[in-house]
Amino acid sequence: MNAPTRQPPQSGEIIVRAIPFAFAENIDPAWHPDRREWSHMANGASLTMPYLEPFLIKTVREALKKASNPQLKQDVHGFIAQEGNHFQNHRRYNEILKRNYPELADVESEMAADYKRFQTKSLRWRLAYTAGFETMTMGITEWLIGDRRNLFNDADPSVSSLILWHMVEETEHKNVAYDLYQHLYGQYWPRAWGLVYASWHVARSSRKGYRRMLKRDRLWNRPASRLRLWAMVIRFLMKASPAMLRSLVPGYHPGKVTDPEWVARWTSAYAGLPEDAIPLLDTSDPEIPAQFA
Ligand SMILES: [Fe+2]
Ligand SMILES: [Fe+2]
């Protein structure tokens, strides 16, 4: 007998999906065979998640105690559950990465120290960091989904599906940290600083990781590799910067930003899957359609 399927998603709903992504023990950390630099950029970002996302969760959980809006409180619970699922999946993948690159443990220690230090900052500062990171993520989502043909075609399906699932859920909860910050504080300049600082901090932490991986791969000092890396960094900046700048325009709300159409297709396709299924994308199809193998 087939496992039951889910209800179709409601618009604006934050759906909690405890997906047990599985990664082969012998997976190539260059999970996109033609794009080693991009693979390691994404690996560097993955490495930050089990440090960054628990910090975001802790911050909104503390802020939740001060919130009075029932719908917002419900959405914060959805945010917490989604972020929890994200970092647990990334951590399983990161464990394999670390067996290939043991030096990544140093990067993890530095991140652990950073987030411990941030606990001494005010809740307003931490919530501005949270809202700021979530804003940058919207730009990254637009980039990864819009450019998915380049970034994921013929790449490992497990890592590609993990990343794109993460982006779908970031879209679903894109309003939450912003709304919570506005609800409790609302001041413009601390939010603007949170955006700049969080984006810089997470990008820097990711760079520490990919730098070590590219060094071990003996690519870091190769000019051709460095040019490929810079090309990807420029693409990242070109996509993330407009999303960050528009968030500073008066009257901005993340809810006014149109979501990539692919997100709705992914959520509908997932709703049709059996309860225990892993939503693996077909990366051999250049379109990377929002359907599962
Ligand atoms: Fe996340
Ligand atoms: Fe998020």
Coordinates of all heavy atoms in Angstrom, one line a residue, residues 53 56 79 83 86 133-134 137 166 170 173, ligand 2:
E53 N 22.1 28.8 11.6 CA 20.6 28.6 11.8 C 20.2 28.4 13.2 O 19.2 28.9 13.6 CB 20.1 27.5 10.8 CG 20.2 28.1 9.3 CD 19.6 27.2 8.3 OE1 19.9 26.0 8.3 OE2 18.9 27.7 7.4
L56 N 19.9 31.8 14.5 CA 18.6 32.5 14.1 C 17.4 32.0 14.9 O 16.6 32.7 15.4 CB 18.3 32.2 12.6 CG 19.4 32.5 11.6 CD1 19.0 32.2 10.2 CD2 19.9 33.9 11.7
F79 N 8.9 29.1 11.2 CA 10.3 29.5 10.9 C 11.3 28.6 11.6 O 12.2 28.1 11.1 CB 10.5 31.0 11.2 CG 11.9 31.5 11.1 CD1 12.2 32.3 10.0 CD2 12.8 31.4 12.1 CE1 13.5 32.9 9.8 CE2 14.1 31.9 11.9 CZ 14.4 32.6 10.8
E83 N 13.9 26.1 9.9 CA 15.3 26.3 10.0 C 16.0 25.1 10.7 O 17.1 24.7 10.4 CB 15.6 27.6 10.8 CG 15.1 28.9 10.1 CD 15.8 29.2 8.8 OE1 16.4 28.4 8.1 OE2 15.8 30.4 8.4
H86 N 16.5 22.5 8.2 CA 17.6 22.8 7.3 C 19.0 22.4 7.8 O 19.7 21.7 7.2 CB 17.6 24.4 7.0 CG 16.4 24.9 6.3 ND1 16.1 26.2 6.2 CD2 15.3 24.2 5.8 CE1 14.9 26.3 5.6 NE2 14.4 25.1 5.3
F133 N 20.1 38.6 7.3 CA 20.6 37.4 6.6 C 19.4 36.9 5.8 O 19.6 36.4 4.6 CB 21.0 36.3 7.6 CG 21.2 35.0 6.9 CD1 22.3 34.8 6.0 CD2 20.3 34.0 7.0 CE1 22.5 33.7 5.3 CE2 20.4 32.8 6.3 CZ 21.5 32.7 5.4
E134 N 18.2 36.9 6.3 CA 17.1 36.4 5.6 C 16.8 37.2 4.3 O 16.4 36.7 3.3 CB 15.8 36.4 6.4 CG 15.9 35.4 7.6 CD 15.7 34.0 7.2 OE1 14.6 33.7 6.6 OE2 16.6 33.1 7.4
T137 N 19.3 36.1 1.7 CA 18.9 34.8 1.2 C 17.9 35.0 0.1 O 17.9 34.1 -0.9 CB 18.3 34.0 2.4 OG1 19.2 33.9 3.4 CG2 17.9 32.6 1.9
H166 N 16.0 23.9 0.3 CA 16.3 25.0 1.3 C 15.8 26.3 0.8 O 15.2 27.1 1.5 CB 17.8 25.0 1.6 CG 18.2 25.8 2.8 ND1 19.4 25.6 3.5 CD2 17.5 26.7 3.5 CE1 19.4 26.4 4.5 NE2 18.3 27.2 4.5
E170 N 13.1 28.9 2.3 CA 13.5 30.3 2.6 C 12.5 31.3 2.0 O 12.1 32.3 2.7 CB 14.9 30.6 2.1 CG 16.0 29.9 2.9 CD 16.0 30.2 4.3 OE1 15.8 31.4 4.7 OE2 16.3 29.3 5.1
H173 N 9.2 31.4 4.2 CA 9.3 32.1 5.5 C 10.0 33.4 5.4 O 10.4 34.0 6.4 CB 9.8 31.2 6.7 CG 11.3 30.9 6.6 ND1 11.8 29.6 6.7 CD2 12.3 31.7 6.5 CE1 13.1 29.7 6.6 NE2 13.5 30.9 6.5
Ligands
FE2 FE 15.6 31.3 6.7

